[in-house]
Amino acid sequence: MDSGADAADARSLLPVVKSEPGEPILDFDPQIHLSPSRPSLADHGNVGYTVYRKSDQIRFGIQPALSECLSMADAIGKRIEDLNLEVSKSRLRKDMWMRTLSQIRDKAQEKTFTAVCGATGAGKSSLINAILDVSILPTSGGQACTSVVTEISWHDDTMFIADVVFLSEEEWLEELLPLHQDLKDADLTGEPRKELKEAWDKFRAVYPDVRESKELKKVASIAGFVRSDQATYPVLGKTTTIKNRQKDSFVHELQQYVKAEKHSSSNAHRKRQLWPLIKVVKVRCNAPALTSGAVLVDLPGTADANRARASIATTYMKQCSHVWIVTNIRRAVDDQNAQGECQRQSANGTYDDSRIALIATQTDLISPSEMLGDGGLDDTDDTDLKDVIQKEKEANDEKNALKRELDRLFAATPHAQHVGQVTESRGSGRKRRDSVSCPDVASKRTRLATRTTRHAIECQVAGTSDTSIPQSRSVDWQQVPMCTSADSLREATSAHDRTDEIEWIRVKCAELEMELCELVARKRVLCSLKRSRESLGIMRRNFIDQLKDLDAAAAEEKDPDNYDPSEPLRDYSRVDPPVFSCSALDYLRIQSHVVGDGDPNCFSDPGNTGIPSIQEWCRNLGDLCRRRSLPGIWESLEVLAESVHRYVKDVSLDDVTKVDSEVMRKQCQSGLVSNIGIANIMKECLHRLADDRSQDLHDSLSTSLGWIVRAAALKAGEKAEQISDAFAAGMHWQTYKGTLRRNGVWRQDLNLDLTLPFMLGIAAQWSKVFSDRSLDLKEAATSIVNQTLSEVEESATPLLKDLAHSQAEHCRRELQQLLDDIVRVIDKVLEEEQRTASRCLAPHIMDALKPAYEEAFAQSGPGSVARRKNIFHNWITKLKNSVFDDGADVLLTLLEDITTSVGERLKREFDVLSERMEVTMSVLWDRPGRENRLELKACVRATATTVEVKEQIPLWRAAANLSMN
């Protein structure tokens, strides 16, 4: 066999990277020039996808697969542009193709939103900085990180970009009016509480010229005051974009907007700040942890009285498919804020182990003595930790023994106590650092010992092993004074020997000190890791216990007579919520992302900080979402490629006259007449199906949830007085008054607290009912489409019968993929509408209790504190039943809105499906001609590209299957 032919065959199996327009083909192996497997016209103008010969050549990964999908979509898009320019005269076909391309790109670039929740000071901003591997969010000053929503996403550029969105004038006034009143009240009643002090600082941050709260009395119109300040008024309602490739410069620019400056005194000269005016900050950076489409949303740590920011937070919570609850590890086990956040997520129907992650921060702050207690070695079963503790004990024992020996030697050789003492020079004359003050008989040896000790320490720090002590310690007879007798000579020699021993003990003690430092550091790491394991285990059990409580409450409400608490309601051993512990600051220190912090507090290995695990988890969240989308993207690409291919491929229709095509056009092309045209006929029938299914959904949801909602309303009414009284008793009267002024929302949200028993009562069943609903679309929709296609086949002219049948069969294959997409879209709509409905109750409670808020707030004078509480308590007693019964009506009414929304969306999706069917069948009356040279060229190129794409997708599917085996 010809060896040259063999080499050519081998080379033909290698993949080929498609070239950019106007460039030569770049082969997979840059050392060898290869030819593509087919000629060609397909190569001219293609955009960067790789043509593989076999599936095992593909190194499968989610991101590479999506990147290739986008490249193939771009290549098809280029062919469609050429066809639209030179050939196609059908606007419907062009719109359909471009819509499909847009959907493919959106799916390939789908984002996974994750809400990062936690109390102020929990370390959310430091955690996000560590995940990003770059410190860009401010972590001091506090207000900027906890009072505005911050979104951080990835983009393929080294440029750091931030869009700073400011409140509108109306939104700022809505926040400023009650704040203005609070400060006026505080001026009348003395020194304000912490919350009002924060409000005052916030006001002065924007308007530093107002030095004392009494100056506010002179302001006749707060709106006029805002408009008169030309330094801040122009930014209201605007968006400022910050761009910089240098991280430090970017951070400096960003912090000028979002970081709160600290001032030593209230009347000191202040610089004007804009952070209170910011509604949301959107940051884009090239962080590896976000490459999979993960988007982190840093949500405020407290309830926000500003409705604009609260609305932004609510909108993000609808978008967020995952929630991270961040808490300090020292309080993680019984953190009420974390448990409250879990309850709020439960109320929103998102309380499960696939959506919520628990993250304990600040693991570097550890005290081994506190953790181990008095038991020390006996209180731990950790082998490594026991070994370190034992070594530490042995080293301490040896050190103490050496110190006792040193004391004995000092007693026997009084002058030796001066050995090693470094003298400080006085005046202008200063001795060397190694100079010592001791009798001349030991001066050289002492300097040697001092240098040897320092050498040993430096070697330990540098990680070298050359820390040996010189073995030769002979007496330097030149330094011994003249002796006149044998006894005095022996006494001098003995003194020198003791001095050598003292030197050796001192060096040994220095070594032991270093060893003890290393052992203590290692003990801190092991104790921190041990605490993390124990805390995470407890957090996981707490999560499961809360899930059990939710399930039990739902089961008891559903069937109280037959509910058996001893019977498990699900396999809780399979519930495994992701829990993490981390030290964000130590990670940032290790990676040198912060300046001026010094060495890490506890850890030296980045892996022990826990941050790499969270970064990987973050990437996996995006990959998981995109992996689920990948099969649908491949199917959409195949359908699009096949649709374009069928339009441009060379079919022998020489005998088909224009009359035949015109007959089919009149029968099948949709126009203004509703009962003519494939798409119009299908839309009419499918719209009736959408109405029927949305009504079925409404009936099903009302039947399943009606009694649950009513029972939950009764339970919420029973607990309303207790919740309201505890809320009032748990805060200072000034804070309570400010909360009443803001209709229950300031540092905390009373309306949300009142709704929690209600939402917790329906949470488990609410989520389950929505997830179990199936609209049963596919069979009925398939029947409608098949009937219409059969009618088209029967009406085709004799010369177009075969083509009509071929296109109809292609429509039927395409139909199943389209229906699968529609089902996924409707499921997503249901999920989003469910989240919206679950958050509607708190605004309803706020509106219903407005008279109570207004009357209680209006109280003043002696005894007003008690009157406020009593008045509001009486209102709650009066309204508790009606307000929650009405709330149940609101939720049930929203079920109608949900089903209406589903029905409308279903109709839009059916419209797209109907038009896709007509576009596929339209080749019966609208085909490219073959006479024009440009038309022919565009068709040949489109054919070559679509054939290639259709060949590549099965290889990627096979590679994906191989990667999972």
Side-chain angles (χ1 to χ4, degrees), residues 723-889:
I723 292 173
S724 174
D725 292 346
F727 185 89
M731 60 179 61
H732 189 268
W733 69 267
Q734 284 183 328
T735 308
Y736 185 61
K737 182 180 179 181
T739 304
L740 294 174
R741 173 181 275 132
R742 293 166 175 79
N743 295 325
V745 183
W746 194 15
R747 303 293 295 178
Q748 302 177 55
D749 189 341
L750 176 57
N751 306 297
L752 184 59
D753 288 354
L754 289 169
T755 65
L756 277 178
F758 189 112
M759 295 310 300
L760 288 172
I762 69 172
Q765 196 67 17
W766 178 270
S767 181
K768 185 176 186 300
V769 166
F770 275 93
S771 62
D772 288 348
R773 293 304 146 206
S774 173
L775 298 185
D776 191 22
L777 299 171
K778 296 181 71 172
E779 184 176 349
T782 300
S783 176
I784 291 170
V785 173
N786 279 336
Q787 181 179 348
T788 305
L789 293 176
S790 297
E791 292 172 358
V792 173
E793 288 183 77
E794 292 173 3
S795 66
T797 60
L799 292 176
L800 289 173
K801 285 283 186 184
D802 291 342
L803 182 59
H805 177 71
S806 174
Q807 292 300 108
E809 288 302 306
H810 176 64
C811 282
R812 293 183 178 100
R813 291 192 297 272
E814 185 179 1
L815 174 64
Q816 299 310 308
Q817 183 256 326
L818 293 173
L819 288 175
D820 287 339
D821 285 344
I822 290 174
V823 170
R824 283 192 287 267
V825 167
I826 296 304
D827 287 344
K828 188 173 183 179
V829 170
L830 273 173
E831 183 179 353
E832 291 174 352
E833 292 295 334
Q834 171 211 343
R835 293 180 190 170
T836 301
S838 65
R839 291 180 172 86
C840 75
L841 195 56
H844 162 75
I845 298 296
M846 177 190 290
D847 291 338
L849 293 179
K850 272 188 177 179
Y853 287 126
E854 291 172 357
E855 183 180 349
F857 161 73
Q859 301 302 306
S860 61
S864 60
V865 174
R867 287 200 304 275
R868 284 192 195 98
K869 295 179 181 179
N870 289 333
I871 288 171
F872 197 81
H873 175 91
N874 293 336
W875 270 101
I876 290 291
T877 303
K878 176 183 176 182
L879 296 177
K880 64 180 182 180
N881 293 323
S882 61
V883 73
F884 288 107
D885 283 342
D886 293 344
D889 291 336

Side-chain angles (χ1 to χ4, degrees), residues 104-130:
I104 290 171
R105 292 182 179 118
D106 289 344
K107 287 180 182 178
Q109 297 170 337
E110 189 173 1
K111 295 180 178 180
T112 303
F113 284 82
T114 297
V116 184
C117 305
T120 303
K124 301 189 299 295
S125 297
S126 295
L127 172 64
I128 292 174
N129 284 335

Side-chain angles (χ1 to χ4, degrees), residues 480-583:
V480 179
M482 294 297 295
C483 299
T484 57
S485 68
D487 290 339
S488 60
L489 180 60
R490 282 194 297 272
E491 182 181 347
T493 303
S494 178
H496 282 298
D497 289 342
R498 286 195 296 272
T499 301
D500 283 347
E501 189 173 356
I502 289 172
E503 294 169 7
W504 180 86
I505 289 175
R506 281 183 165 167
V507 172
K508 186 63 178 176
C509 285
E511 291 177 343
L512 288 171
E513 284 288 353
M514 293 184 59
E515 182 181 351
L516 283 168
C517 288
E518 294 174 356
L519 288 170
V520 169
R522 179 62 178 159
K523 182 172 68 173
R524 285 169 56 81
V525 172
L526 293 173
C527 284
S528 178
L529 297 176
K530 176 180 171 62
R531 179 182 63 180
S532 293
R533 289 193 298 271
E534 294 172 351
S535 298
L536 296 185
I538 296 173
M539 292 165 63
R540 186 180 284 106
R541 289 193 294 274
N542 289 345
F543 183 99
I544 295 173
D545 288 343
Q546 291 193 47
L547 186 59
K548 287 180 179 178
D549 292 342
L550 282 173
D551 289 346
E556 186 177 8
E557 290 284 352
K558 184 175 182 180
D559 190 0
D561 296 331
N562 297 312
Y563 169 64
D564 183 0
S566 64
E567 291 292 328
L569 298 173
R570 69 169 85 183
D571 184 2
Y572 293 102
S573 65
R574 299 177 64 86
V575 177
D576 186 24
V579 290
F580 301 94
S581 64
C582 68
S583 170

Side-chain angles (χ1 to χ4, degrees), residues 84-146:
N84 289 334
L85 180 65
E86 303 294 348
V87 182
S88 178
K89 305 301 186 288
S90 170
R91 182 175 182 84
L92 182 61
R93 177 181 292 108
K94 174 184 176 180
D95 291 345
M96 185 58 58
W97 283 345
M98 298 310 293
R99 185 186 298 124
T100 303
L101 276 175
S102 178
Q103 290 172 346
I104 290 171
R105 292 182 179 118
D106 289 344
K107 287 180 182 178
Q109 297 170 337
E110 189 173 1
K111 295 180 178 180
T112 303
F113 284 82
T114 297
V116 184
C117 305
T120 303
K124 301 189 299 295
S125 297
S126 295
L127 172 64
I128 292 174
N129 284 335
I131 292 172
L132 300 180
D133 243 323
V134 57
S135 187
I136 57 177
L137 298 186
T139 56
S140 61
Q143 293 91 330
C145 301
T146 57

Side-chain angles (χ1 to χ4, degrees), residues 154 181 248 338 381 401 510 530 607 624 679 685 737 758 854 930:
W154 180 86
Q181 292 297 324
D248 292 340
D381 56 357
K530 176 180 171 62
L624 182 63
C685 298
K737 182 180 179 181
F758 189 112
E854 291 172 357
R930 298 286 168 172

Side-chain angles (χ1 to χ4, degrees), residues 27-33:
D27 298 327
F28 192 77
D29 184 352
Q31 303 300 321
I32 309 174
H33 178 71

